[in-house]
Amino acid sequence: VLIIEDDLTLAEHYRLALLSGGIDANILHNPHELISQLAAFNPDLVLMDLYMPDLSGPELAGIIRQHERWTSLPVVYLSAETDLDRQIEALRHGADDFITKPIADASLIALVRARIERGRQIDALVTRDSLTGLLRHATIKEAIHAEIKRAVRTRHPVSVAIIDIDHFKQVNDRHGHATGDVVITATANLLRQRLRQSDLIGRYGGEEFVVVLVDCDASDAEKLLEDIRQRFASIRFGRAGSEFNCTLSAGLASLSVCGNNLLPAADAALYHAKNTGRNRVCQATPADLPLAGTTP
C-alpha cells in the first residue's frame, strides 16, 4: 500500500498498523514524486487523504488515471470528511472507495485487505487471457517495453520470442474448436513448465504467444526454444484412433543483436520460420529491424 498523507505522524501510524496486519506499506512524502514512486513500489492500493496542502486527493487521483499502467489501481480516500455529497464528488475524480477516519486499526486492515483482494480479481480479468491465464496482448507488450528499459539500464541480456502453432486453422477445421482450445491450453502449460518464474508469457492473439526471457542471451534463448519446440511436437492430441501432433514455429530477437526493436524483429524472424518450412526456431538479424521512420 502506498500511503499519501500530509500528517507524517498519522501516516507512520497507518504504515505500522498495516505492517502489523501483514501488509507492506510505504509513505509518499512528496506528492510531486507520485508516478516515480508508483513505478518503484508497484503498490496494490493507494491510500490517501482528501485534503492536503500541495495537491488534493482528487488531483492526485486524476494524475494516476492519466497513466494507462495505473488505470485499474485501487485508490481509496481515508479522510475525516463526512459530507456524503463531497465524498461522492471526490470519488468522481478516479478514486474507488472512501473510508472515514478516525478508524480502528483492525478495521483499517480488514478494509484495505478486502479492497486489495477485489482489485487483484479485477486486474486478473483485465490483464489475463480467459482460456490460458496468460497475459493479454496489451499487457505483454507493456511488459516487453519495461523489460527492455530494465535490461538497458542494468546492462543485462533480454530476449523476446513470438511463437505460433503451425497450421492451427486445420486443427479447428478437422477436429473442432474445443480440440483447438486444448492445443492452445497445452501450449500455454508447456511454456509455463519450461520457462522460469522471472520470464513473462503472453497470449498475443489466437494461436500466437509471446515470451520475454529475462537475463537470457541469444544463444541460451535459442536452446530453450528448441527444447520447447521438440517437446511440443511429441505431444499427442485427440482421441484413440484420431490422434495427431502439432508443431510450432518461433521467431527470436535478442537485445544484443536487435537493440530496442525486439518485438518487430521477432515477428520478422517468425515470418522467416514460417516461409522456410515451419517447425523451427529462427533468430532475428539486423536485417530484420524495421526501417527508419516506420512504425513497428
Side-chain angles (χ1 to χ4, degrees):
V1 173
L2 183 65
I3 300 169
I4 308 174
E5 165 68 62
D6 60 306
D7 185 336
L8 296 184
T9 301
L10 191 56
E12 180 63 14
H13 174 82
Y14 294 149
R15 190 186 73 82
L16 293 175
L18 293 173
L19 188 62
S20 71
I23 300 171
D24 191 15
N26 275 2
I27 299 171
L28 177 65
H29 297 284
N30 182 358
H32 295 283
E33 298 176 353
L34 172 62
I35 297 304
S36 62
Q37 284 298 305
L38 287 176
F41 187 48
N42 195 27
D44 292 295
L45 181 142
V46 173
L47 186 68
M48 64 182 175
D49 197 1
L50 185 60
Y51 303 115
M52 290 176 285
D54 293 332
L55 290 168
S56 69
E59 287 175 322
L60 291 173
I63 291 172
I64 292 172
R65 298 309 184 212
Q66 289 176 15
H67 294 260
E68 184 178 355
R69 180 178 177 184
W70 311 113
T71 52
S72 61
L73 174 66
V75 175
V76 177
Y77 293 127
L78 180 56
S79 172
E81 178 61 72
T82 57
D83 186 281
L84 182 58
D85 290 336
R86 291 182 179 179
Q87 289 183 359
I88 293 173
E89 180 60 29
L91 290 172
R92 287 175 178 163
H93 291 268
D96 300 282
D97 210 345
F98 203 107
I99 299 174
T100 304
K101 61 183 180 184
I103 183 172
D105 291 349
S107 298
L108 177 63
I109 293 167
L111 287 170
V112 166
R113 188 178 296 281
R115 205 62 184 79
I116 288 174
E117 289 175 356
R118 178 58 178 157
R120 286 176 173 173
Q121 291 171 356
I122 294 172
D123 186 63
L125 291 173
V126 171
T127 62
R128 297 282 173 177
D129 172 62
S130 59
L131 177 62
T132 64
L134 301 180
L135 296 174
R136 291 181 185 269
H137 181 103
T139 308
I140 192 65
K141 282 189 71 174
E142 183 179 319
I144 290 170
H145 294 310
E147 283 302 325
I148 290 173
K149 289 181 180 178
R150 184 198 63 82
V152 171
R153 184 176 66 253
T154 61
R155 297 184 180 180
H156 286 178
V158 65
S159 299
V160 170
I162 302 180
I163 299 167
D164 186 87
I165 302 171
D166 296 326
H167 301 298
F168 184 72
K169 185 179 183 300
Q170 294 181 13
V171 174
N172 281 334
D173 291 345
R174 294 176 181 175
H175 304 281
H177 287 274
T179 300
D181 286 349
V182 171
V183 174
I184 288 174
T185 303
T187 310
N189 290 338
L190 178 62
L191 292 172
R192 284 195 192 92
Q193 292 167 7
R194 303 310 301 171
L195 300 181
R196 304 160 298 175
Q197 287 189 345
S198 58
D199 297 326
L200 302 170
I201 316 170
R203 186 180 179 192
Y204 208 51
E207 69 277 17
E208 211 168 54
F209 302 81
V210 169
V211 298
V212 184
L213 306 173
V214 180
D215 293 330
C216 188
D217 61 20
S219 176
D220 289 339
E222 185 170 10
K223 292 176 183 176
L224 179 58
L225 288 172
E226 268 295 328
D227 174 72
I228 291 172
R229 182 191 65 79
Q230 293 174 21
R231 289 175 183 272
F232 183 72
S234 68
I235 299 175
R236 301 289 292 172
F237 296 102
R239 299 176 181 177
S242 61
E243 291 185 340
F244 64 96
N245 297 81
C246 289
T247 61
L248 57 80
S249 300
L252 173 64
S254 300
L255 186 66
S256 59
V257 177
C258 301
N260 295 354
N261 297 296
L262 295 185
L263 197 57
D267 189 49
L270 173 63
Y271 184 79
H272 182 68
K274 289 287 189 181
N275 284 334
T276 54
R278 295 182 170 83
N279 191 23
R280 63 190 61 204
V281 177
C282 285
Q283 284 267 14
T285 68
D288 295 314
L289 299 179
L291 297 175
T294 62
T295 303

